[in-house]
């Protein structure tokens, strides 16, 4: 029972304790179900992998490949281990790109595929098409291709799809609309380095998919995308400043009653009006395009806003003005447990306004703001559920008294500041 809690690497180390331990461990197949080579410091010999697979009695369910060059062994594992459901490549053998598809093809129970090293778009499309029953796919480093991606589906079981490009790539080159048209049960979609260019409106298919998580990092678009009503988590990290110009009608095309996690980075000139449009208003296509207000929408649990606000924003939390975070009744509620406003114009007065609202904050990030130690003390005294405060690069925090005060209350405080001769940076917490 104790040994079952050990990772693969520790199980291997335990075989060196004695001959008795080695014989005992080698006869427990359930300890060898996950072939995990992620901790390998040098090339792994084929004999080691052969023995590990035999000890599992060909019942491997997971394989994490790193520093292993023997492609024929990987093919045999895919064929002989009928229960192999998850494969992750930390590194690839040389000249394996053409063989990856064969490995995927020969694993009938494969449902999860993760590839960290760089591959081509063609290799990605071939692997997914060769095993259309995959549920979770993650390509973490994809080279842009001159050819348009060809997704041959359908992919009826695909629930999670991640593709991180090494450089900015157009959605037309990725054939994103074609990929989405071949999925019917996609829940999570993540892209990095993507330029959303959709003059024909083909990406409207996004609204027909039961998507709950959409993460777009280092993304560019000409207009704000129309989002599905099932969305619960939205993360947009724009590449370069993007401005939500008036009248913001594209925001009204999205109806987001289930949204609980929102993160914007470098969506600049964000105003209370535009944020309110996104969270609380929509255009009802079934009622002659009338603009309506969402009823009974889910309160937000996590909010992260970073960027330059509109010059006319009167503040962040002031309950007496139409400030950024008070514009929607979905934000400052007891459901809110995480708040990240690093780089926003926040000071001690804003923190005092924040604490006038009843929230359930457990974590707050105030880095690169104008707060002083007084804010940290106020947060520690007024938020019983608070567990962590980040206050990096806050030039008005001049000492560590407030930090120690919060730590005595069981709150983790991360804070660095310049102190002493020569502006030496000191980290507290």
């Amino acid at each position: 029972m104790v040994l079952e809690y050990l990772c693969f690497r520790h199980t291997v180390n335990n075989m060196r304790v004695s001959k008795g331990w080695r014989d005992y461990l080698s006869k427990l197949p359930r300890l060898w179900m996950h072939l995990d080579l992620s901790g390998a410091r040098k090339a792994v010999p084929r004999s080691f992998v052969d023995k590990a697979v035999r000890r599992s009695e060909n019942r491997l369910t997971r394989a994490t490949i790193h520093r292993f060059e023997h492609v024929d062994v990987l093919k045999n594992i895919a064929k002989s281990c009928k229960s192999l459901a998850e494969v992750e490549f930390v590194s690839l053998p040389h000249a394996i790109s053409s063989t990856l598809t064969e490995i995927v093809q020969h694993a009938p129970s494969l449902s999860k595929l993760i590839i960290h090293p760089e591959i081509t778009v063609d290799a990605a499309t071939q692997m997914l098409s060769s095993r259309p029953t995959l549920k979770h796919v993650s390509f973490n480093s994809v080279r842009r291709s001159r050819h348009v991606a060809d997704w041959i589906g359908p992919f009826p079981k695909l629930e999670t799809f991640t593709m991180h490009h090494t450089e900015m790539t157009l959605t037309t080159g990725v054939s994103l609309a074609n990929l989405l048209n071949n999925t019917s049960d996609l829940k999570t979609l993540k892209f990095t380095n993507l330029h959303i260019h959709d003059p024909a409106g083909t990406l409207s298919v996004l609204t027909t998919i039961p998507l709950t998580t959409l993460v777009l990092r280092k993304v560019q678009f000409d207009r704000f995308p129309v989002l599905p009503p099932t969305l619960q988590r939205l993360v947009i990290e724009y590449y370069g400043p993007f401005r939500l110009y008036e009248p913001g009608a594209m925001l009204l095309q999205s109806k987001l009653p289930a949204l609980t996690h929102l993160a914007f980075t470098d969506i600049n000139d964000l105003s209370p009006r535009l944020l309110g449009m996104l969270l609380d208003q929509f255009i009802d296509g079934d009622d002659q395009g009338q603009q309506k207000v969402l009823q009974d929408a889910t309160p937000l649990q996590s909010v992260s806003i970073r960027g330059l606000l509109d010059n006319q924003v009167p503040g962040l939390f002031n309950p007496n003005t139409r400030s950024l975070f008070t514009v929607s009744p979905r934000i400052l509620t007891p459901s809110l447990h995480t708040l990240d406003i690093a780089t926003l114009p926040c000071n001690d007065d804003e923190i005092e306004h924040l604490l006038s609202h009843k929230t359930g904050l457990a974590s707050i990030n105030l880095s690169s703001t104008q707060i002083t130690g007084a804010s940290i003390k106020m947060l520690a005294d007024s938020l019983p559920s608070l567990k962590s405060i980040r206050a990096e690069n806050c030039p008005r925090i001049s000492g560590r008294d407030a930090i120690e005060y919060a730590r005595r209350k069981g709150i983790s405080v991360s804070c660095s500041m310049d102190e002493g001769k020569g502006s030496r940076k000191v980290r507290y917490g």
Side-chain angles (χ1 to χ4, degrees):
M1 290 172 61
V2 172
L3 293 172
E4 285 182 358
Y5 285 94
L6 300 179
C7 66
F8 180 84
R9 180 165 167 255
H10 290 162
T11 300
V12 173
N13 288 339
N14 284 338
M15 296 196 66
R16 302 190 181 102
V17 172
S18 67
K19 185 176 182 295
W21 277 56
R22 183 193 65 194
D23 293 343
Y24 178 71
L25 292 170
S26 65
K27 294 175 182 177
L28 295 175
R30 63 182 180 276
L31 300 181
W32 304 91
M33 298 298 190
H34 180 194
L35 175 65
D36 185 2
L37 308 181
S38 60
R41 297 187 179 94
K42 58 182 180 180
V44 179
R46 73 163 59 227
S47 58
F48 174 84
V49 172
D50 286 339
K51 289 178 181 177
V53 174
R54 284 201 303 272
R55 288 171 187 146
S56 76
E57 297 179 353
N58 289 336
R59 290 157 54 190
L60 282 184
T61 58
R62 298 172 61 192
T64 304
I65 308 302
H66 182 43
R67 296 183 182 273
F68 188 69
E69 296 290 331
H70 305 283
V71 176
D72 58 320
V73 175
L74 297 179
K75 289 183 184 178
N76 290 334
I77 290 174
K79 292 178 182 178
S80 61
C81 298
K82 303 301 183 183
S83 299
L84 185 62
E86 300 181 20
V87 174
E88 179 176 3
F89 283 94
V90 180
S91 64
L92 293 175
H94 294 95
I96 194 180
S97 57
S98 60
T99 316
L100 279 173
T101 302
E102 296 180 44
I103 295 172
V104 173
Q105 280 178 328
H106 290 132
S109 299
L110 191 64
S111 63
K112 186 173 184 178
L113 176 65
I114 302 174
I115 300 180
H116 296 284
E118 187 176 280
I119 60 172
T120 63
V121 173
D122 293 338
T125 58
Q126 290 171 15
M127 278 183 279
L128 185 56
S129 298
S130 67
R131 181 55 62 189
T133 55
L134 284 167
K135 292 183 179 180
H136 307 279
V137 176
S138 182
F139 302 122
N140 291 332
S141 183
V142 179
R143 290 197 304 273
R144 190 172 61 185
S145 173
R146 295 181 180 178
H147 307 289
V148 176
D150 186 16
W151 306 101
I152 301 175
F155 313 115
K157 294 187 177 182
L158 191 62
E159 297 179 1
T160 302
F161 184 83
T162 300
M163 181 176 279
H164 300 310
H165 293 276
T166 57
E167 54 186 324
M168 191 63 68
T169 304
L170 282 170
T171 50
T172 50
V174 180
S175 294
L176 181 56
N178 181 27
L179 172 65
L180 296 177
N181 273 312
N182 278 291
T183 63
S184 58
D185 201 28
L186 192 65
K187 302 293 194 308
T188 299
L189 181 64
K190 299 180 181 181
F191 269 94
T192 300
N193 274 326
L194 187 68
H195 186 171
I196 301 176
H197 182 65
D198 185 37
T202 56
L203 289 181
S204 61
V205 66
L206 194 67
T207 59
T208 67
I209 297 170
L211 207 64
T212 58
T213 297
L214 178 62
V215 178
L216 301 173
R217 300 191 185 280
K218 295 185 179 179
V219 66
Q220 294 179 342
F221 41 71
D222 305 317
R223 58 182 183 175
F224 201 85
V226 180
L227 305 170
T230 52
L231 204 62
Q232 297 174 15
R233 180 173 180 239
L234 174 63
V235 177
I236 298 180
E237 180 183 311
Y238 205 80
Y239 186 72
F242 174 78
R243 287 172 170 79
L244 289 169
Y245 291 111
E246 299 289 353
M250 288 306 298
L251 297 177
L252 296 175
Q253 302 296 322
S254 301
K255 182 180 179 181
L256 303 173
L259 191 70
T260 57
H261 293 70
L262 174 66
F264 280 166
T265 299
D266 288 337
I267 303 290
N268 290 346
D269 282 354
L270 187 63
S271 67
R273 177 173 179 268
L274 294 173
L275 187 59
M277 281 184 176
L278 179 69
L279 295 177
D280 302 316
Q281 302 171 35
F282 69 100
I283 291 178
D284 191 346
D286 298 329
D287 190 9
Q288 300 179 344
Q290 293 294 316
Q291 183 172 328
K292 294 187 176 182
V293 176
L294 278 173
Q295 301 296 327
D296 300 322
T298 306
L300 297 185
Q301 299 174 17
S302 175
V303 176
S304 174
I305 304 290
R306 296 189 182 195
L308 299 175
L309 301 182
D310 183 272
N311 291 331
Q312 304 303 316
V313 174
L316 300 181
F317 307 108
N318 192 335
N320 300 317
T321 62
R322 191 173 168 81
S323 55
L324 185 67
F325 292 107
T326 61
V327 69
S328 171
R330 300 175 63 182
I331 302 177
L332 299 175
T333 73
S335 297
L336 185 67
H337 60 69
T338 302
L339 180 64
D340 182 347
I341 55 172
T343 74
L344 293 192
C346 181
N347 54 27
D348 292 345
D349 291 337
E350 289 291 351
I351 296 300
E352 198 168 350
H353 290 318
L354 169 63
L355 295 175
S356 69
H357 304 273
K358 188 175 180 180
T359 66
L361 283 173
S363 173
I364 187 168
N365 188 351
L366 301 167
S367 298
S368 301
T369 63
Q370 295 301 309
I371 65 165
T372 69
S375 287
I376 293 183
K377 287 185 177 181
M378 284 191 290
L379 290 167
D381 287 336
S382 304
L383 295 175
S385 58
L386 193 63
K387 301 298 181 185
S388 69
I389 300 173
R390 289 195 64 188
E392 307 285 358
N393 302 312
C394 294
R396 298 188 64 190
I397 297 178
S398 57
R400 61 180 300 167
D401 291 346
I403 298 170
E404 293 299 330
Y405 179 78
R407 291 181 67 184
R408 286 195 297 270
K409 286 180 169 286
I411 300 171
S412 172
V413 182
S414 175
C415 178
S416 61
M417 64 188 76
D418 293 334
E419 182 177 289
K421 187 177 179 179
S423 295
R424 181 172 59 92
K425 182 168 286 190
V426 179
R427 172 172 292 278
Y428 300 120

